[in-house]
Amino acid sequence: QKEVEQDPGPLSVPEGAIVSLNCTYSNSAFQYFMWYRQYSRKGPELLMYTYSSGNKEDGRFTAQVDKSSKYISLFIRDSQPSDSATYLCALGGGSTLGRLYFGRGTQLTVWP
Amino acid sequence: DGGITQSPKYLFRKEGQNVTLSCEQNLNHDAMYWYRQDPGQGLRLIYYSQIVNDFQKGDIAEGYSVSREKKESFPLTVTSAQKNPTAFYLCASKTGDNEKLFFGSGTQLSVL
């Protein structure tokens, strides 16, 4: 079983839609939960960073962590064509301190 | 202007040749990482270094080598033993205070 599972998509939505992206994980020791956005042939950029559980909101983006279900989510409200990218979840902490485990990434297209 | 600089942006390798990918950071980060990204595969860890003159193998270290002689620099050599080197290579770094990983812009390596 992989440490982190993420549906690769692709996901295609109209502009203005609410997007939900998800990852599941197996290591209950993970404490750090991140979402990265990667445009084609660019380096990933950190979008959301959460320590432990709960929700975090930043503008149109909301990250949720449910440690009991080992499930994390990223919601994008009022999606824009500029949100079209690949979104990667990344988890770490506990005995894996110093390295992160990444999901495969979900490719998102927002069409006007 | 702080950041992580990867060079070259594109690199071509002939069969039997070793090539070196450069990664330099001026963020004063202690830890540096090399990832390989194949289409639809997510990020796979090759090597990482948490302090100067020390590094650890990641999940796919065979056919690669690294050095960490200076805090700012973490070059990756793709040796002739790596039979399938075509991929997008990403360098990353972070401080010791948290797990936020920052990425360079990547190097696309292709085989001639």
Side-chain angles (χ1 to χ4, degrees), chain A residues 9-110:
Chain A
L11 187 60
S12 181
V13 302
E15 183 175 354
I18 297 174
V19 176
S20 172
L21 304 167
N22 311 292
C23 288
T24 59
Y25 62 95
S26 57
N27 189 341
S28 58
F30 285 148
Q31 299 169 294
Y32 299 90
F33 306 92
M34 282 155 273
W35 286 94
Y36 284 84
R37 178 174 61 195
Q38 185 179 24
Y39 293 112
S40 182
R41 288 300 175 221
K42 303 289 185 185
E45 55 179 322
L46 182 62
L47 202 56
M48 299 290 280
Y49 175 86
T50 308
Y51 173 71
S52 192
S53 60
N55 296 356
K56 183 173 183 178
E57 188 173 322
D58 184 2
R60 296 184 295 110
F61 298 90
T62 300
Q64 289 185 352
V65 176
D66 182 350
K67 294 184 76 174
S68 62
S69 302
K70 298 192 182 70
Y71 189 87
I72 67 171
S73 302
L74 177 69
F75 297 96
I76 307 174
R77 291 184 300 280
D78 188 25
S79 56
Q80 304 293 310
S82 58
D83 295 328
S84 299
T86 296
Y87 291 81
L88 301 113
C89 61
L91 294 79
S95 62
T96 70
L97 206 61
R99 62 166 293 178
L100 295 180
Y101 290 85
F102 285 83
R104 292 173 60 187
T106 300
Q107 185 180 344
L108 171 68
T109 300
V110 181

